[in-house]
Amino acid sequence: MPLPLYLLAVAVFAMGTSEFMLSGLVPDIAAGLEVSVGNAGLLTSAFAVGMVLGAPLMAVLARRWPTRASLLGFVLVFAAAHVVGALTSSFPVLLSTRVIAALANAGFLAVALSTAITLVTAAQKGRALAVLLSGTTVATIAGVPGGAVLGTLLGWRATFWAIALLCLPAAFGIVRGIPDHAAGSTRDAPTGPSLRTEIAQLAMPRLVLAMLLGALVNAATFATFTFLAPIVTDTASLNELWVPVALVLFGVGSFVGVTLAGRLSDQRPGIVIGIGSPMLLLGWATLATVAAQPVALLILVFVQGALSFAVGSTLIARVLHESAGAPTMGGSYATAALNIGAAGGPAVAAATLGTDAGDLGPIWVSALLVALAVLTALPLLRVIAPQVGPVREVPDGLDVH
């Protein structure tokens, strides 16, 4: 894989850490800015909404900008938003910085996803996506627990400064390693498809189906991941120190899953989806049943992290494949699918916490969401993931089967 992919993954790591780190900092932020915990929780919601809306909006804004300038601009805006967030004593200002950071994150990810698949051959698109998304999985392994520790030791503002500093090597890497126009890119090219043509790709049933399934699986992933702490401490009766251990296990599993799937999703996506999805469903149902047993809980947290990201990343690769006719907007479609799931899954899961299901409610929500995905995907597997034959390159960068 080319070096620029890994440089993009560094930026995705910084942004992924920022997206997930607030789950452990909300009480401290609420106390520091003298707002309720509920209001402080709006910071997470604002980021998620900004990601969903920002992906297509920022992609439209940047579709005719040079690739390097787009990526660099989004990283610098993201860093600046965290600097302002670290300095402010106003909750409305902090809330605004989260929206701005989310817009920059969404724009960066949309451009990065579109760029990543132009840096490799058609037969390596899945592996390229796996490298890029490894930044997110490493964020769950090291970034989120590290942010929680840093916030505990030095206060929540220190985590904002740390994210801003992480953006600097990413920005340097983009300047040094990303060409103005990635190979095969139509960005800023007058002969590229019009915006209307790219948006019209959303009428393609295969693309809509891949986006729907990607959103469902990602919603299931974050429905449980968001509420993993009370499951560990209340259901399994483990000490609070086991919460970061569980988060790291999930993150390690997700890294393993996305790495292994990256090697299969290009040529055999049907295997990952057709076998991985039922296993994922079985895993969530089993986890809901044995969550009170600490050893079983920790093992299944790792397994579910691996399966969730293996199936999820393969579905997102299918989104990028089916949106090949939208070279500058396809990344935003994948980003929107990811973040509709990331925002919707925890919202549905939260509604179950006050019911008889209690702390296990989010896990059953995950199982239900994956069940919907399985019931949709398996009958249409040949449509979602057709058998891939020999691939040859054509001038416009599209692959012909």
Side-chain angles (χ1 to χ4, degrees):
M1 292 288 103
L3 177 62
L5 275 177
Y6 295 95
L7 301 176
L8 293 177
V10 172
V12 173
F13 165 74
M15 294 178 176
T17 300
S18 176
E19 182 175 3
F20 305 136
M21 71 179 182
L22 286 189
S23 59
L25 301 176
V26 166
D28 291 340
I29 293 174
L33 298 183
E34 298 181 347
V35 298
S36 69
V37 172
N39 283 339
L42 293 175
L43 295 171
T44 300
S45 300
F47 198 96
V49 172
M51 286 290 289
V52 173
L53 298 179
L57 291 177
M58 293 299 102
V60 169
L61 179 65
R63 68 187 301 269
R64 294 306 183 191
W65 294 353
T67 301
R68 184 194 298 163
S70 298
L71 295 170
L72 181 61
F74 286 130
V75 166
L76 294 179
V77 169
F78 186 83
H82 284 76
V83 170
V84 174
L87 293 173
T88 188
S89 58
S90 167
F91 179 75
V93 171
L94 181 60
L95 186 65
S96 298
T97 66
R98 295 307 289 168
V99 175
I100 293 170
L103 292 174
N105 188 354
F108 179 90
L109 192 56
V111 176
L113 285 167
S114 295
T115 301
I117 60 175
T118 67
L119 295 172
V120 297
T121 65
Q124 295 178 311
K125 289 181 180 181
R127 291 184 62 189
L129 179 63
V131 170
L132 190 64
L133 291 182
S134 68
T136 298
T137 62
V138 173
T140 64
I141 297 170
V144 176
V149 171
L150 187 62
T152 300
L153 296 177
L154 301 178
W156 65 268
R157 295 180 189 275
T159 61
F160 280 72
W161 284 113
I163 295 298
L165 290 174
L166 273 176
C167 290
L168 297 182
F172 178 78
I174 289 168
V175 171
R176 299 291 296 177
I178 302 296
D180 280 334
H181 302 284
S185 174
T186 61
R187 189 176 299 278
D188 205 28
T191 57
S194 67
L195 177 60
R196 178 177 295 181
T197 299
E198 294 203 42
I199 293 176
Q201 298 292 305
L202 288 171
M204 296 174 57
R206 284 186 176 182
L207 174 57
V208 174
L209 184 58
M211 292 177 66
L212 172 63
L213 294 173
L216 284 171
V217 170
N218 208 46
T221 301
F222 286 96
T224 295
F225 180 77
T226 303
F227 299 101
L228 191 57
I231 296 170
V232 171
T233 56
D234 298 341
T235 303
S237 301
L238 289 169
N239 186 279
E240 289 183 355
L241 293 176
W242 284 96
V243 173
V245 173
L247 292 174
V248 168
L249 283 173
F250 185 90
V252 172
S254 66
F255 181 79
V256 171
V258 79
T259 301
L260 294 178
R263 299 182 179 279
L264 285 173
S265 61
D266 287 311
Q267 299 300 321
R268 296 292 183 269
I271 293 177
V272 180
I273 299 171
I275 297 177
S277 297
M279 291 178 63
L280 183 60
L281 172 58
L282 178 61
W284 286 129
T286 303
L287 180 58
T289 304
V290 303
Q293 302 175 31
V295 174
L297 170 66
L298 295 175
I299 291 174
L300 281 170
V301 163
F302 170 83
V303 172
Q304 291 305 96
L307 289 172
S308 294
F309 274 78
V311 176
S313 65
T314 299
L315 288 168
I316 295 304
R318 299 312 301 168
V319 172
L320 292 171
H321 177 84
E322 298 298 343
S323 61
T328 65
M329 293 296 293
S332 72
Y333 303 155
T335 303
L338 281 170
N339 286 284
I340 287 172
V348 176
T352 68
L353 294 176
T355 68
D356 292 340
D359 293 332
L360 296 180
I363 307 179
W364 286 116
V365 167
S366 296
L368 176 61
L369 291 169
V370 173
L372 291 174
V374 169
L375 290 174
T376 303
L378 293 189
L380 300 172
L381 190 58
R382 291 183 179 274
V383 175
I384 301 164
Q387 183 72 27
V388 179
V391 177
R392 64 180 180 86
E393 296 294 321
V394 293
D396 64 358
L398 305 181
D399 50 335
V400 178
H401 306 288

